[in-house]
Amino acid sequence: MKAVILEEANVFRVDEKADPTPSENEALVRVRHTGICATDVAMIRGLSPLVIAPITPGHEWVGTIEEVPKDSEYAPGEWVTMYPTKGCEVCAACLDERPHHCNSFRVTGVHQDGGSFAEYLAVPLDQLIKLPETLHNIHGALAEPATVGVHANLQGGMAAGKRVAVIGAGTIGSMIGQVARGWGAADVVMVDRMPARQKLAADLGFEQFVLVGDGDEQENLLAYDGEFDIIFDNVCVEQTLELAANSLKSGGTMVTLAFPHDGQKLVVPYMTAYRRELHIVFSRNYARGDWDHTFDLMSKGAIDTERMISGDYPLENFVSAMDDLRDKPDEHVKVVIST
Ligand SMILES: [Zn+2]
Ligand SMILES: [Zn+2]
């Protein structure tokens, strides 16, 4: 089969790779659509400390069952995706169905080979997820990042009527905002430093936007009817953490999502956080059960996948898709590879 092979940072190509051979507890899946994630870009461009190589990356996918053991609940032709996180299966977190908290967890296509920038995958049956009919197409590839947004909202205690701000309005930020709106947020204000993100936010129906860079972020954010119940921070540098802490109501919740780099410490204005009894919660990946919320929201049309998909390239053109992502950051949100 054809697959992307990442040999080492910045050395990657589409090439022939041996077809996967499924074991008796696995299905052979024909990959249809895979989104390129910021994690993939970090791996490929040598910006990720986690990368192993050689590897075929890709974890935001939908596909169809090609072959499956006879007694399984799946049938050939059925559309599926995968819960890509696998833990040790014996620790407390794994037994509690939180493998993303397992000390030795692995995400297929990130920490282990077998990612979906390929024509075929062998997927353990217990990691398969059936897709609702509305996602039997390219839009299904956005279910995985949408689930990151679902998980962040669950972590933040999102409920109807809450006032929400989202710092970092790219793919994940846009998902977080749309989930919050889908769950009845009173207001959603998006915050970013890229003007192109303001256009994206407006197209997604988020007219309230703060452009970072002029030093008036705090004032501009609070100008939208005052303090917030929940602020999601996808950036997590000192400036954004401070903006979040200073813009929350007392008892409000800050949800941090950015991957920490280089021994980073979380620096928040302690007196503000202390005086207002703020909650600081962390959000990483998602639990398996979070997907049900995603399917519900996406089936209701709460996530505008049409606007978010900015490119659809065949697998053979993976390298030019990556170049376009790098060279035209203003034009792209989610680039999808179709096979
Ligand atoms: Zn991802
Ligand atoms: Zn475990």
Side-chain angles (χ1 to χ4, degrees):
M1 66 169 180
K2 285 198 173 23
V4 171
I5 297 168
L6 175 65
E7 291 288 356
E8 58 181 276
N10 293 304
V11 180
F12 62 104
R13 63 182 190 280
V14 178
D15 211 338
E16 282 299 320
K17 184 176 178 179
D19 286 355
T21 44
S23 73
E24 56 184 14
N25 296 316
E26 290 181 327
L28 184 68
V29 172
R30 176 81 172 82
V31 180
R32 301 291 172 178
H33 308 282
T34 302
I36 301 181
C37 176
T39 303
D40 301 316
V41 174
M43 288 168 66
I44 291 167
R45 299 295 181 198
L47 306 170
S48 169
L50 306 175
V51 74
I52 58 142
I55 186 173
T56 297
H59 58 274
E60 302 182 355
W61 63 266
V62 291
T64 50
I65 301 271
E66 190 82 6
E67 287 170 31
V68 69
K70 270 210 175 58
D71 53 352
S72 88
E73 55 177 305
Y74 298 94
E78 197 169 2
W79 282 78
V80 291
T81 184
M82 175 187 190
Y83 179 58
T85 308
K86 186 98 174 169
C88 70
E89 298 184 328
V90 296
C91 75
C94 285
L95 294 176
D96 194 31
E97 295 186 12
R98 293 178 287 112
H100 62 302
H101 292 169
C102 176
N103 283 335
S104 56
F105 90 99
R106 289 271 170 277
V107 175
T108 302
V110 178
H111 315 103
Q112 69 185 28
D113 194 19
S116 59
F117 295 121
E119 290 177 294
Y120 294 97
L121 299 175
V123 183
L125 294 172
D126 62 358
Q127 286 178 270
L128 282 175
I129 297 176
K130 294 187 188 212
L131 288 166
E133 216 173 310
T134 44
L135 301 181
H136 293 185
N137 48 53
I138 191 170
H139 301 282
L142 277 78
E144 196 270 357
T147 308
V148 176
V150 162
H151 190 70
N153 272 272
L154 291 171
Q155 289 293 94
M158 179 58 204
K162 300 269 188 192
R163 285 177 39 74
V164 169
V166 182
I167 302 172
T171 299
I172 297 301
S174 299
M175 290 301 187
I176 290 170
Q178 291 178 95
V179 173
R181 181 170 60 195
W183 286 353
D187 283 301
V188 178
V189 181
M190 305 298 275
V191 181
D192 203 285
R193 63 187 163 81
M194 284 169 65
R197 298 272 173 84
Q198 181 161 13
K199 172 83 171 64
L200 169 65
D203 290 348
L204 294 173
F206 300 116
E207 295 297 338
Q208 304 185 109
F209 189 93
V210 173
L211 192 63
V212 174
D214 59 5
D216 294 334
E217 295 81 24
Q218 180 84 60
E219 209 184 315
N220 294 339
L221 184 54
L222 294 178
Y224 290 115
D225 290 333
E227 291 158 346
F228 295 84
D229 297 294
I230 310 172
I231 300 185
F232 298 90
D233 190 350
N234 294 294
V235 183
C236 298
V237 296
E238 208 172 321
Q239 183 196 11
T240 60
L241 292 163
E242 196 167 324
L243 176 64
N246 290 334
S247 307
L248 282 167
K249 292 179 185 175
S250 67
T253 301
M254 181 196 299
V255 184
T256 67
L257 286 103
F259 190 86
H261 280 286
D262 301 331
Q264 181 186 356
K265 301 261 194 298
L266 187 75
V267 181
V268 293
Y270 184 23
M271 181 54 95
T272 306
Y274 178 74
R275 204 161 30 84
R276 298 187 185 180
E277 290 193 315
L278 300 182
H279 301 264
I280 302 175
V281 300
F282 302 83
S283 186
R284 183 188 194 189
N285 295 20
Y286 38 73
R288 183 168 178 136
D290 298 344
W291 288 80
D292 295 335
H293 295 292
T294 304
F295 296 152
D296 177 55
L297 286 160
M298 290 182 85
S299 296
K300 285 181 191 152
I303 312 286
D304 184 353
T305 47
E306 192 72 48
R307 174 61 180 88
M308 292 188 69
I309 296 172
S310 57
D312 177 14
Y313 297 71
L315 180 63
E316 304 82 73
N317 294 357
F318 183 83
V319 175
S320 52
M322 284 296 299
D323 289 347
D324 282 353
L325 256 181
R326 180 193 56 205
D327 299 337
K328 301 170 189 164
D330 283 358
E331 285 177 26
H332 285 297
V333 186
K334 179 58 71 183
V335 170
V336 178
I337 301 295
S338 295
T339 40

